[in-house]
Amino acid sequence: MKRIFVLVTFLLIVLSGCSSDGQMIFAGESDSWKATFIFKDLGDGVQERSGTIEYIGEDPKPDEVTVQFFYRIDQESFGGSRGLNKDGSYSDIEPTTCTTCVMYEKDDEIPGIIEWADQKESLILTSK
């Protein structure tokens, strides 16, 4: 009986560290914004990243927003400007790949700044 318990415990520990598709999701929220980024390890040091932002503040939605996230000072930043679509959403941050990107860990926090119409908010992306 002890052997089965030890085997099951070992398998749970090993499997808990595995991701089914090598992707990590980081998300965060401020008073007016919600952001979600997906980082997918494609192997051989290549990473794909994509994301979405959503305005959760009071209307009207701003016509343009700039999103910038920083991973440790002087190591990496990502983001960009997004325009408001006719349907009221912001365009997704399309998947891009890179070979020099930071490979994030589950306990990493990624601080960011969102700017729009002379306003600015900070938010932190954490693993989900």
Side-chain angles (χ1 to χ4, degrees):
M1 186 69 161
K2 279 186 173 181
R3 287 182 183 165
I4 292 173
F5 177 74
V6 170
L7 178 62
V8 169
T9 303
F10 175 75
L11 288 174
L12 288 174
I13 291 170
V14 169
L15 292 175
S16 69
C18 296
S19 172
S20 62
D21 57 2
Q23 78 177 16
M24 297 186 74
I25 298 172
F26 282 80
E29 196 171 298
S30 67
D31 290 339
S32 302
W33 296 94
K34 183 177 182 179
T36 303
F37 282 83
I38 299 171
F39 302 91
K40 188 170 186 176
D41 183 359
L42 300 179
D44 295 329
V46 178
Q47 181 187 85
E48 177 184 86
R49 86 172 46 149
S50 60
T52 59
I53 58 168
E54 178 184 351
Y55 185 69
I56 57 174
E58 296 185 25
D59 287 333
K61 293 180 180 180
D63 290 331
E64 189 170 329
V65 59
T66 301
V67 180
Q68 197 68 38
F69 290 94
F70 307 92
Y71 180 76
R72 297 187 184 143
I73 296 173
D74 296 330
Q75 282 197 1
E76 180 176 70
S77 67
F78 58 91
S81 294
R82 314 295 331 139
L84 184 63
N85 296 323
K86 289 181 182 181
D87 68 359
S89 68
Y90 292 92
S91 56
D92 291 345
I93 298 167
E94 296 295 322
T96 57
T97 58
C98 67
T99 57
T100 59
C101 293
V102 171
M103 296 297 191
Y104 297 100
E105 300 292 330
K106 185 177 180 176
D107 59 348
D108 283 337
E109 292 185 343
I110 308 167
I113 296 173
I114 298 181
E115 296 181 73
W116 75 102
D118 296 328
Q119 297 184 54
K120 182 188 294 190
E121 286 184 4
S122 298
L123 63 87
I124 296 176
L125 301 177
T126 57
S127 178
K128 302 299 174 194

